[in-house]
Amino acid sequence: RVLDERKALIPCKRLFEYILLYKDGVMFQIEQATKLCSKITLTDQWDPLDIPQNATFEDQYSIGGPQEQITVQEWSDRQSARSYETWIGIYTAKDCYPIQETFTQNYSVILSTRFFDITLGIKDPSVFIPPSTCQTAQLERMSEDCSW
């Protein structure tokens, strides 16, 4: 489950909730304000938020301040034959908890996710149940701007 989060006032920006059900191969896109729903075929593979086996170790460093530091490792999908990466992941060195993942395309960031307040397990499994408005979902992705 992914929630868009408003970080600033962006005129005409729609915020969505996404429920990704990989076993069913379907993603629900739910507009947060109106609960309008789209049901879209999910073609991406499950991302377990771990370090892929073919990842390149980039760096290890500490984040935080005095008496609050944690050691993290930075990994990427950079290969020696090319000079740039399309994925960079930062994970804690001790237990491999995700800190940040960034995906790029043509040298531009297309998705950046920061992880915080992580707890083990699923606190509320009901968040994976689409709302009743998804019973009559449209079959195409909704636009993120207000030009409906």
Side-chain angles (χ1 to χ4, degrees):
R1 176 174 179 243
V2 177
L3 288 172
D4 283 340
E5 184 178 30
R6 183 178 304 277
K7 289 291 193 179
L9 180 59
I10 303 170
C12 228
K13 169 83 170 127
R14 298 166 77 190
L15 299 176
F16 294 98
E17 171 185 0
Y18 299 89
I19 299 175
L20 297 91
L21 304 176
Y22 286 91
K23 287 183 181 176
D24 298 334
V26 66
M27 176 179 77
F28 293 95
Q29 178 193 31
I30 304 142
E31 186 180 20
Q32 290 182 25
T34 64
K35 300 299 182 200
L36 285 174
C37 184
S38 288
K39 183 177 180 181
I40 303 159
T41 301
L42 188 59
T43 57
D44 295 335
Q45 295 295 314
W46 164 252
D47 179 0
L49 295 173
D50 64 354
I51 302 166
Q53 288 198 350
N54 62 347
T56 299
F57 176 78
E58 298 289 352
D59 201 0
Q60 178 170 303
Y61 48 89
S62 295
I63 58 174
Q67 283 79 47
E68 291 188 294
Q69 292 190 347
I70 188 166
T71 302
V72 297
Q73 294 181 339
E74 189 171 306
W75 296 81
S76 79
D77 66 350
R78 183 175 53 85
Q79 303 297 316
S80 58
R82 64 176 201 236
S83 61
Y84 65 93
E85 58 277 322
T86 60
W87 166 82
I88 299 169
I90 302 172
Y91 302 86
T92 61
K94 182 176 182 263
D95 292 315
C96 203
Y97 290 118
I99 301 295
Q100 182 171 346
E101 278 198 334
T102 303
F103 293 88
T104 62
Q105 187 175 32
N106 300 325
Y107 301 104
S108 295
V109 173
I110 58 172
L111 177 66
S112 181
T113 304
R114 293 176 293 158
F115 301 87
F116 48 89
D117 298 334
I118 295 173
T119 57
L120 295 178
I122 299 172
K123 185 177 180 180
D124 181 6
S126 71
V127 300
F128 296 104
I129 299 170
S132 60
T133 55
C134 290
Q135 304 250 340
T136 57
Q138 60 188 32
L139 299 177
E140 58 186 44
R141 181 183 287 266
M142 288 181 267
S143 170
E144 291 187 9
D145 61 33
C146 60
S147 59
W148 320 348

